[in-house]
Amino acid sequence: MQILLIHSDFIEYETKKSTPVAEKIDDDLKKGRMEEVLAVFVAVEKSDEDKPEYAASQTVAEIKKVTEQVKTNRVMLYPYAHLSSSLSSPKTAIETLKKIEELLKEAQFEVKRAPFGWYKSFTIKCKGHPLSELSRTIRIGEEKCVMVLKEKEKEEVVSEALKSEAKATSYWHILTPEGELLKPEEFDFKGHDNLKKFVNYEIHKSRAVDKIPPHVELMRRLELADYEPGSDSGNMRFYPKGRLMKSLIENYVLEETAKMGAMEVETPLMYDMNHPTLKKYLDRFPARQYSIEADKKQLFLRFAACFGQFLMNHDMTISYRNLPLRMVELTRYSFRKEQSGELVGLRRLRAFTMPDMHSLCKDMDEAVEQFNEQYNMCINVLSKIGINLSDFEVAIRFTRDFYEENRDFIVGLVKTVNKPVLIELWDQRFFYFVLKFEFNYIDAMDKASALSTVQIDVENAERYGIKYIDSTGAEKRPFILHCSPSGAIERCIYALLEKANMNSEKGIVPMFPVWLSPTQVRVIPVAGKHMEYAKKVAGELNGRVDIDDREETVGKKIRDAGKEWIPYVAVVGDEEINSGNITVTVRSESLPNKPSNIKMSVGELNERISKEISDFPFKRHPLAVKLTERPRFV
RNA sequence: GCCGUCGUGGCUUAGCUCGGUAAAGCGGCUGAUUCGUAAUCAGCAGAUCAAGGGUUCAAAUCCCUUCGACGGCUCCA
């Protein structure tokens, strides 16, 4: 049995023409309409033929569940053969449909049934809320819901978490730094445009813009990253400049976690799907996996570093003196087989790089304290990457129990960012965590993407058998914090590109932070005879320096340097050779089409650059110093 | 995954309605220019028009299928 449930403002149908298998009907059934209704499209299948009554009763049970969630008692049954490629006989189908109708009527539902075996026209207005479109497969002898992948004729096991999410009821609020907990409709969003967009995105899932994402064009034009047609969708190629930026951010984040005391480890990319512990965890994690078969094993590609680290924790001997114990891994890659329609440029990928840190804490007090410390670290990390407090919106999500016990702490988190945040509250714990936050970047299309996140996990220490010995010698379960200080590195680059594009539209010249700029200084000799001097200057300059040795006009070279968002462009010609200075175009001080030129010494420029990059990792330029020696990637 | 739009040299696009020799700019190469702050001039090379199938005397153009990108839906620890 396949059913598709659509919570609708209305559905109406009209019979057009009978088919050979049509049931005989009275004229009054040739048209039908219901309002505020759950439309149930049904395909009775071959596998139902053994026990049609069982199939009918299971279907009714599913319908009841959904009607309770969407709060209606009106049902329109609509035979819909297209849901299945393995249909039952028409006779069984009609019987089963009638049985469903009968059972629903017994349960006090207001039911109508569209006739079987007719060509019908129908109009339906779907309500469009998160639960308004659901599908179910009902199989005899199986309690579990499974989704059927038609193209593979293979059943995909959908994790329990994916399902439980549909059942979770969320209560949305806005929490202000003053500690006021307001319903979204009570909150005055004036001056909080991005928060409004974020709330709208989270709760109503509605957007009104249709533009192509600017970062997709930029990632190619700047030769950072590109699609790889030879791979699966959502698996990108990174050109030298993109790889450089990724590498710098990766190293930076790792360094910040190391400062906190995190130990860097490395764990496998693929795991046995039938490992008893992992199997249970898969069920609690709402992600779809890539799976591969090797020898006789079913393996899946990791979607985070949790697996490897928890398995490692399981085998470790840990004393209370070792806590909080932090481990970090930079996952290159984490794999998530997101739905194809969801993939966009660098925003949503199927293979991405993510720092994943886990902290074992002795009790909830320590977990909360660590949570707070990591919350602050995340703010700092993002701002150093170039994404400031004003660029992202905060969501804090927790269970009601956690909130009751930690009200002041939650308000404290809001005070830290000093702006209202979105709160999602659950009556029960549907997930493995009791508290989490995310920092969400809001782009020009009003889409929200999570960057940093921390969660307090109360489940996995038990599941993985992770324990520590407390001061009395007793074994105890730690609480585990999951933390990704920056979120996916690719997503950080997406946010930087989108931000730069937004700036550009506001009349601000777009650029990356200097420490992340692939070329930090470009030296431009005015004519061929200045080349030797240009090389000398380049040799004396700090940072990633290159030389535009092409035979182009100065104007053209300046413009091209601008197109690459190079922070400092030093022109050298007769004047500079005579004065010993260089003339520097400073991007951060330039206006569109109005470069800002400052005469300074090489030493002065070095000092300026040092100030901007000294706190960060440094890597040499991956490309040849002379532009004429560089290939083009796009 | 579903619905819709799109896919033409390396890049950006014209041509597609109404079938008949694929056009341009940028980039590349060659030559001239040796140049002072956001595009120097000229020439040359470069395209089985996403892939596969169909209709036709003839397909970039019409039809079908597949793949990919984007938008919407769904989803998003």
Side-chain angles (χ1 to χ4, degrees):
Chain A
M1 183 86 73
Q2 294 278 3
I3 57 175
L4 172 67
L5 305 116
I6 298 187
H7 189 208
S8 317
D9 291 330
F10 71 86
I11 174 166
E12 62 182 10
Y13 71 86
E14 189 178 342
T15 56
K16 291 292 184 187
K17 190 169 177 273
S18 63
T19 69
V21 297
E23 62 174 316
K24 292 202 174 85
I25 51 165
D26 296 334
D27 280 357
D28 64 339
L29 277 180
K30 288 191 172 171
K31 270 188 189 179
R33 178 184 167 101
M34 287 180 96
E35 298 191 2
E36 294 300 315
V37 61
L38 184 72
V40 182
F41 293 84
V42 186
V44 184
E45 298 181 285
K46 269 214 172 63
S47 57
D48 300 318
E49 294 200 331
D50 297 338
K51 287 185 179 179
E53 289 189 2
Y54 177 82
S57 67
Q58 288 297 300
T59 305
V60 169
E62 280 300 324
I63 293 172
K64 275 185 190 167
K65 268 191 220 163
V66 175
T67 52
E68 276 163 30
Q69 285 171 348
V70 301
K71 298 185 179 58
T72 180
N73 73 331
R74 274 193 283 263
V75 175
M76 169 78 83
L77 283 173
Y78 198 105
Y80 204 63
H82 315 289
L83 290 171
S84 173
S85 52
S86 169
L87 292 167
S88 71
S89 67
K91 182 169 160 284
T92 310
I94 294 173
E95 275 171 18
T96 311
L97 284 161
K98 283 184 175 167
K99 184 72 190 172
I100 295 172
E101 183 183 15
E102 187 192 315
L103 288 171
L104 284 170
K105 279 185 174 159
E106 274 172 21
Q108 305 298 312
F109 279 89
E110 191 182 320
V111 189
K112 282 191 182 175
R113 186 169 63 81
F116 184 90
W118 293 74
Y119 289 111
K120 299 179 284 286
S121 67
F122 72 91
T123 309
I124 186 166
K125 186 163 190 293
C126 171
K127 284 186 176 290
H129 58 73
L131 290 176
S132 65
E133 295 177 67
L134 299 166
S135 66
R136 296 279 184 267
T137 300
I138 292 148
R139 290 267 187 277
I140 291 164
E142 276 183 37
E143 293 293 306
K144 272 191 178 174
C145 288
V146 292
M147 272 182 173
V148 176
L149 282 180
K150 282 176 200 147
E151 76 279 14
K152 285 186 190 163
E153 292 183 347
K154 190 171 144 189
E155 286 173 353
E156 178 193 21
V157 181
V158 174
S159 80
E160 292 294 326
L162 274 179
K163 278 180 273 163
S164 71
E165 192 153 8
K167 292 172 201 153
T169 311
S170 296
Y171 299 88
W172 301 98
H173 297 278
I174 304 293
L175 184 57
T176 67
E178 292 74 36
E180 269 187 302
L181 190 66
L182 299 166
K183 289 188 176 154
E185 56 271 25
E186 296 165 350
F187 182 76
D188 181 6
F189 283 99
K190 211 169 171 191
H192 303 285
D193 287 353
N194 272 346
L195 181 62
K196 186 176 180 178
K197 287 175 187 170
F198 179 46
V199 168
N200 199 35
Y201 184 81
E202 281 282 324
I203 304 177
H204 308 294
K205 314 274 180 187
S206 68
R207 269 152 268 125
V209 203
D210 60 331
K211 278 187 286 183
I212 49 156
H215 82 274
V216 173
E217 196 209 323
L218 288 172
M219 75 185 187
R220 303 193 68 235
R221 218 200 65 208
L222 296 171
E223 295 192 320
L224 300 178
D226 214 336
Y227 298 108
E228 176 48 74
S231 183
D232 188 26
S233 306
N235 289 253
M236 312 300 275
R237 60 161 75 140
F238 282 82
Y239 300 119
K241 290 182 203 168
R243 177 62 217 139
L244 172 72
M245 283 184 72
K246 268 188 77 180
S247 178
L248 288 167
I249 298 174
E250 288 166 14
N251 291 343
Y252 171 68
V253 176
L254 279 177
E255 183 59 23
E256 290 302 300
T257 59
K259 279 188 204 161
M260 274 195 129
M263 305 171 278
E264 188 182 352
V265 295
E266 185 171 319
T267 62
L269 266 74
M270 58 182 85
Y271 293 90
D272 187 343
M273 206 165 249
N274 291 313
H275 186 288
T277 312
L278 298 179
K279 200 171 173 6
K280 278 188 260 167
Y281 186 44
L282 282 178
D283 265 347
R284 290 295 279 162
F285 203 100
R288 294 175 171 84
Q289 306 93 38
Y290 275 109
S291 57
I292 44 177
E293 218 178 284
D295 295 332
K296 281 176 188 159
K297 274 190 180 163
Q298 271 294 331
L299 301 169
F300 68 92
L301 298 180
R302 67 174 178 195
F303 37 80
C306 309
F307 311 98
Q309 291 188 22
F310 291 170
L311 290 169
M312 196 184 282
N313 289 148
H314 168 85
D315 295 338
M316 288 168 70
T317 305
I318 303 167
S319 151
Y320 71 97
R321 296 175 199 274
N322 309 139
L323 302 183
L325 184 150
R326 308 175 196 83
M327 289 201 317
V328 68
E329 177 167 5
L330 204 109
T331 64
R332 198 160 100 217
Y333 292 104
S334 287
F335 296 93
R336 296 183 191 182
K337 209 168 164 301
E338 306 290 4
Q339 296 183 82
S340 59
E342 260 307 312
L343 304 167
V344 193
L346 291 174
R347 186 169 96 92
R348 199 104 187 270
L349 297 168
R350 281 183 171 171
F352 57 93
T353 308
M354 178 179 71
D356 200 0
M357 176 169 78
H358 296 95
S359 313
L360 309 189
C361 300
K362 66 172 187 281
D363 51 27
M364 189 49 92
D365 283 349
E366 188 171 271
V368 166
E369 185 195 313
Q370 285 298 307
F371 187 96
N372 191 47
E373 194 180 316
Q374 293 176 15
Y375 181 81
N376 285 296
M377 174 190 65
C378 290
I379 295 171
N380 179 50
V381 164
L382 284 187
S383 81
K384 293 290 168 59
I385 291 171
I387 302 153
N388 302 310
L389 255 179
S390 54
D391 297 320
F392 61 78
E393 294 302 326
V394 183
I396 306 180
R397 308 172 200 253
F398 40 77
T399 59
R400 193 172 293 280
D401 289 349
F402 184 90
Y403 182 58
E404 302 297 341
E405 286 163 32
N406 299 279
R407 234 172 243 255
D408 291 346
F409 171 66
I410 301 281
V411 174
L413 296 175
V414 182
K415 283 197 163 78
T416 301
V417 293
N418 195 28
K419 63 179 188 176
V421 312
L422 175 67
I423 298 293
E424 184 176 9
L425 199 141
W426 297 288
D427 278 335
Q428 296 163 46
R429 183 166 65 81
F430 293 98
F431 310 105
Y432 56 77
F433 52 84
V434 290
L435 168 68
K436 75 171 286 198
F437 81 82
E438 307 131 34
F439 295 149
N440 289 272
Y441 181 78
I442 315 294
D443 70 16
M445 303 177 73
D446 295 356
K447 294 207 185 198
S449 306
L451 293 166
S452 318
T453 179
V454 178
Q455 301 146 19
I456 300 182
D457 177 346
V458 297
E459 229 179 61
N460 283 305
E462 176 76 34
R463 176 167 303 120
Y464 282 81
I466 300 168
K467 57 190 183 292
Y468 71 93
I469 310 299
D470 77 3
S471 54
T472 67
E475 282 189 0
K476 289 220 169 141
R477 296 282 178 223
F479 291 96
I480 305 176
L481 266 63
H482 300 237
C483 168
S484 187
S486 60
I489 307 295
E490 294 85 350
R491 198 172 264 187
C492 289
I493 296 177
Y494 142 83
L496 285 176
L497 290 171
E498 290 287 330
K499 181 182 172 179
N501 182 260
M502 258 191 251
N503 278 342
S504 169
E505 283 178 3
K506 280 190 262 178
I508 301 168
V509 176
M511 63 186 291
F512 295 123
V514 176
W515 73 280
L516 284 173
S517 299
T519 296
Q520 291 163 326
V521 194
R522 171 156 298 167
V523 180
I524 296 182
V526 172
K529 63 182 173 188
H530 306 117
M531 192 55 205
E532 281 311 308
Y533 187 69
K535 279 189 203 163
K536 180 175 166 288
V537 168
E540 289 167 2
L541 280 165
N542 291 340
R544 285 180 291 272
V545 184
D546 58 25
I547 303 172
D548 192 343
D549 60 333
R550 297 174 305 163
E551 291 191 11
E552 298 286 353
T553 58
V554 173
K556 175 74 172 286
K557 292 186 197 179
I558 295 276
R559 182 181 152 80
D560 286 345
K563 284 206 288 196
E564 284 186 52
W565 301 1
I566 295 172
Y568 299 102
V569 181
V571 173
V572 293
D574 290 339
E575 243 173 69
E576 286 73 20
I577 292 174
N578 293 333
S579 69
N581 280 338
I582 46 178
T583 309
V584 182
T585 302
V586 180
R587 187 164 180 83
S588 61
E589 293 167 15
S590 299
L591 295 169
N593 294 314
K594 281 190 191 136
S596 149
N597 303 317
I598 303 174
K599 286 200 195 310
M600 59 175 91
S601 69
V602 169
E604 281 167 330
L605 180 55
N606 272 340
E607 203 176 314
R608 212 176 153 131
I609 293 170
S610 294
K611 253 188 228 160
E612 289 168 317
I613 68 173
S614 60
D615 293 340
F616 297 100
F618 178 80
K619 288 190 88 172
R620 58 187 299 120
H621 206 303
L623 297 170
V625 172
K626 291 181 183 173
L627 261 54
T628 55
E629 292 171 7
R630 288 181 189 177
R632 292 196 140 253
F633 289 86
V634 290

